[in-house]
Amino acid sequence: MHHTTLLAATTDKNLELVLHVLPAIVVIMAASALCGRLALLVRQPRVLGEMVAGVLLGPTLFGALFPTAQKAVFTPEVKPMLYVLSTLGLTLFMFLVGAGLEHGGGNGKKDAKNAAVLAVSGILPSLLLGAGSAYLLYDRLSRTDVSHFEFALFIGGALSITAFPMLARILYERHLQNSPLGRMTLLGASIDDAAAWCFLAVLSAMHSGAGALHVLRTIGLTALFALVMLTVVARLLRPMGARVERTGHFGFDQMYLVVAIVLLSGLFTDYIGIYSVFGGFLAGLAMPRNPAFREALHSRMMDLVCVLLLPIFFAFSGLNTELGGIAGWAMIGPFALILAAGFIGKYVGCATAMRTVGFSWRESWAVGGLMNARGLMILIFINIGLAQGMITKDVFSMLVLVAVITTAGAMPLYRWALPERFEQQMSPPAPDPAPTSGATSPEAEPAHA
């Protein structure tokens, strides 16, 4: 009798949790769909609308206007479930980003050299200006248990990131991916983001506070794991890619294997002390590069991740975002300084680099605008920082606003610098198929960033 009563109580509790979680997900998806559609109507990427939807569902709007309803939808029991789903979504999304990165093509060494110049110009100025700003604002913004050095590096690292998937989608939509500008920009942005994730992994290890030996252990295990994934695992997976390329069939057996590799990679990186998204990204880099394999992988997974799991991440981020806290003059100044540091460092730095290697000023400013967008990538970065206690909620809210503003500015800056008549002169005669790092087709909506 006791066991029967306990089982009934457990079942009732689980049912109650489901009845709380499902309405929350429905509300999130409805808000994301509406804001995403509104973003498209004003010629912005859908992801911008979804980012704004996440902020509006938090205390900034929904919680301010309807506090009782907001607490009823996003109960304390629901938030851990949203965290799990958002972490799963991020890991899978970063896997798809890694799997979609292009290798080779173009003019080989020349493209690689120019891309390296662009990558350095996209990282270094933003990192230095962001770190300098953070150092000046340490006493006003930082947690007391975070050192000046860690706080400065975190803000600089967050500002140096680029929304690679959105940038890739824009170039593919305009058939510029095989132009010299497109090849260089895609490669430079991928280097930027890979460097940012490595940077955050090292910073997370440093922040753990377990001593230099533990930090070195975490960094060493991360490097070893990356080496194994990019050599041994990548080599073992090549026959699967060749088989899919040859037969055109990507079945459940292959999907089971791929998903298992992603989840185990995320589990291992979590275990050694860095966030699971790193494991997902490395698993993506280890995937076969065959076009048919990448297209099949993308078509099977990307829509579910973008429609269901990423909006949950945006909402979870929004629940931690209180823009009212930075509305006063005391916070407006620090926010403006951080925004200016990020904008000038990335936009001006990348444009100058492009001009230095021989592109026109129009092309240079267009690329600067795209590289300045931070989109989803900075949200992942700062969520890790918030979860690990590296930043306060006020700083988190400021950086969410930086993400929204720089992402919103990307397309207007691009169109201002490079109108369609100039694009047509740069486009190659025949467009390639859509990329595996964005949406579903060249005619589809802009990808998540």
Side-chain angles (χ1 to χ4, degrees):
M1 180 68 70
H2 174 70
H3 290 298
T4 304
T5 305
L6 184 62
L7 180 61
T10 304
T11 303
D12 289 343
K13 189 174 181 180
N14 290 338
L15 180 59
E16 185 180 351
L17 182 59
V18 170
L19 292 176
H20 278 96
V21 172
L22 290 183
I25 293 176
V26 170
V27 169
I28 290 168
M29 292 184 66
S32 296
L34 176 61
C35 292
R37 177 52 57 183
L38 291 174
L40 292 174
L41 290 176
V42 295
R43 301 182 71 191
Q44 288 284 358
R46 177 180 283 274
V47 66
L48 179 66
E50 293 173 356
M51 289 167 62
V52 172
V55 173
L56 298 182
L57 288 174
T60 301
L61 183 69
F62 190 24
L65 297 180
F66 308 103
T68 304
Q70 205 248 13
K71 288 178 181 176
V73 173
F74 300 109
T75 64
E77 296 81 13
V78 167
K79 290 180 182 178
M81 296 297 294
L82 296 182
Y83 176 76
V84 171
L85 291 172
S86 66
T87 300
L88 178 62
L90 291 182
T91 303
L92 290 172
F93 179 76
M94 288 304 296
F95 161 73
L96 291 169
V97 170
L101 289 184
E102 297 281 359
H103 295 299
N107 295 324
K109 290 183 179 179
K110 183 181 178 182
D111 279 347
K113 181 181 177 181
N114 289 346
V117 171
L118 178 62
V120 170
S121 70
I123 295 173
L124 202 55
S126 302
L127 180 63
L128 293 176
L129 290 175
S133 302
Y135 192 84
L136 293 174
L137 298 170
Y138 175 84
D139 293 334
R140 299 172 67 177
L141 298 181
S142 179
R143 293 168 55 112
T144 56
D145 58 342
V146 175
S147 70
H148 284 74
F149 184 69
E150 287 178 1
F151 183 66
L153 285 184
F154 183 87
I155 299 300
L159 295 180
S160 67
I161 207 163
T162 291
F164 170 76
M166 187 179 79
L167 184 151
R169 184 66 224 162
I170 291 169
L171 291 173
Y172 272 83
E173 281 185 331
R174 285 155 174 74
H175 309 311
L176 296 176
Q177 74 277 11
N178 285 325
S179 68
L181 177 144
R183 288 194 302 268
M184 177 180 168
T185 307
L186 287 172
L187 187 53
S190 67
I191 295 171
D192 254 21
D193 281 359
W197 300 125
C198 294
F199 183 81
L200 184 56
V202 173
L203 195 56
S204 299
M206 289 172 55
H207 180 71
S208 63
L213 195 61
H214 179 78
V215 172
L216 291 175
R217 172 185 171 274
T218 301
I219 294 172
L221 286 174
T222 303
L224 179 62
F225 177 66
L227 182 65
V228 170
M229 290 297 295
L230 299 179
T231 55
V232 178
V233 175
R235 193 172 293 116
L236 291 174
L237 291 175
R238 282 177 194 166
M240 179 173 66
R243 191 180 309 117
V244 173
E245 188 77 24
R246 186 177 63 255
T247 63
H249 177 68
F250 188 85
F252 285 124
D253 290 339
Q254 288 90 346
M255 184 60 77
Y256 277 125
L257 178 61
V258 167
V259 173
I261 289 172
V262 178
L263 296 182
L264 288 173
S265 298
L267 179 64
F268 182 76
T269 50
D270 256 336
Y271 172 74
I272 64 177
I274 60 174
Y275 205 56
S276 59
V277 295
F278 300 115
F281 184 64
L282 287 171
L285 292 177
M287 289 295 116
R289 317 315 297 178
N290 309 68
F293 178 87
R294 296 166 67 186
E295 179 60 33
L297 194 64
H298 173 271
S299 62
R300 288 286 184 91
M301 298 179 69
M302 184 60 87
D303 287 349
L304 178 65
V305 171
C306 288
V307 170
L308 177 62
L309 297 177
L310 286 186
I312 293 175
F313 166 72
F314 291 129
F316 186 80
S317 297
L319 294 176
N320 292 318
T321 303
E322 175 56 88
L323 296 183
I326 62 173
W329 285 109
M331 287 297 181
I332 287 289
F335 167 70
L337 182 60
I338 290 173
L339 177 63
F343 188 90
I344 293 170
K346 185 72 79 169
Y347 184 50
V348 178
C350 291
T352 303
M354 291 290 286
R355 181 61 180 155
T356 301
V357 297
F359 288 89
S360 70
W361 275 117
R362 281 191 176 277
E363 294 169 320
S364 300
W365 290 120
V367 169
L370 295 180
M371 293 285 285
N372 188 50
R374 289 164 178 87
L376 170 61
M377 310 304 264
I378 191 178
L379 293 186
I380 300 174
F381 196 100
I382 63 176
N383 267 272
I384 296 172
L386 184 66
Q388 296 186 351
M390 286 189 262
I391 54 173
T392 64
K393 282 196 173 183
D394 278 346
V395 174
F396 177 87
S397 299
M398 288 182 185
L399 292 173
V400 169
L401 203 51
V402 168
V404 172
I405 292 171
T406 58
T407 305
M411 283 310 300
L413 287 172
Y414 179 87
R415 293 191 190 103
W416 167 76
L418 206 63
E420 290 185 8
R421 65 181 184 275
F422 291 99
E423 278 189 336
Q424 292 169 1
Q425 300 170 12
M426 298 161 51
S427 300
D432 280 2
T436 56
S437 59
T440 52
S441 69
E443 292 75 22
E445 300 158 351
H448 287 71

